[in-house]
Amino acid sequence: MRLSGGSALWWRIAADRLVKQYIGRIREWFAELNLALADERGVPVAVERGWPRVIGPVRPTLESRYPLAPIESFMGWARPDGTSLDPWIRTHQRPGARIVAAAPASQTRTGTVCEWERWTGLVFPASGEYVVPRGLGLRRVDKDSGQGAYVEPDVWMRHM
């Protein structure tokens, strides 16, 4: 389905809060949309629309190396220059975004133990919590029910 004559349609969300899980769903439903916080000229959509702020959850990419560290601690880790240790948070800090709060349960994914083994390439021999590559938190597996769950933390950031 073609939604516009150009190579990308710049979706402007008429709200001052952007929530990643909804944006992810929109991307699933409308794969041709290019969702961005800036227009094709690089001007922030919030500024162009006169919005005072845009608040959204940011997935800290380096947190996957520290899955046992609570997000509340990780988000405060800084480099000597005062910017975040995490490169994706720094990407948002450079244009002026500020950390607002932790989002310790930003997304929850559930599935059967068989699905989790297929998705991760790991075997879960017993009930418990597991570190999984690239995960920001632990996978919880319950062999009795045959279910597994993953709760991913994020960091709320505000763009001015």
Side-chain angles (χ1 to χ4, degrees):
M1 175 167 112
R2 193 88 181 131
L3 298 175
S4 71
S7 61
L9 175 65
W10 291 90
W11 184 270
R12 293 169 191 197
I13 299 172
D16 71 348
R17 295 179 184 208
L18 302 178
V19 180
K20 183 170 60 176
Q21 70 186 47
Y22 296 121
I23 291 173
R25 301 269 178 180
I26 291 169
R27 281 194 176 125
E28 289 173 22
W29 299 329
F30 303 102
E32 295 182 23
L33 292 178
N34 183 1
L35 301 172
L37 294 175
D39 67 14
E40 59 276 358
R41 298 165 291 144
V43 175
V45 172
V47 170
E48 194 172 88
R49 292 285 178 106
W51 299 339
R53 66 193 169 281
V54 174
I55 300 171
V58 172
R59 184 180 193 271
T61 56
L62 197 62
E63 167 70 353
S64 65
R65 295 185 187 175
Y66 306 94
L68 301 178
I71 193 67
E72 294 84 355
S73 298
F74 180 83
M75 70 185 204
W77 295 354
R79 301 183 327 165
D81 67 0
T83 60
S84 177
L85 180 67
D86 186 80
W88 189 234
I89 292 175
R90 279 196 314 275
T91 297
H92 288 268
Q93 287 175 327
R94 277 194 285 277
R98 298 286 178 254
I99 293 173
V100 176
S106 182
Q107 295 185 59
T108 300
R109 297 180 189 125
T110 60
T112 66
V113 173
C114 291
E115 288 172 325
W116 279 110
E117 289 178 342
R118 188 175 73 245
W119 296 334
T120 63
L122 299 174
V123 175
F124 301 107
S127 293
E129 296 181 324
Y130 292 87
V131 173
V132 175
R134 296 181 305 279
L136 306 190
L138 301 174
R139 300 311 193 269
R140 289 174 183 82
V141 171
D142 182 346
K143 294 291 276 193
D144 292 334
S145 70
Q147 296 294 306
Y150 169 65
V151 178
E152 183 169 280
D154 285 330
V155 176
W156 285 105
M157 295 191 75
R158 181 174 67 191
H159 287 263
M160 303 299 239

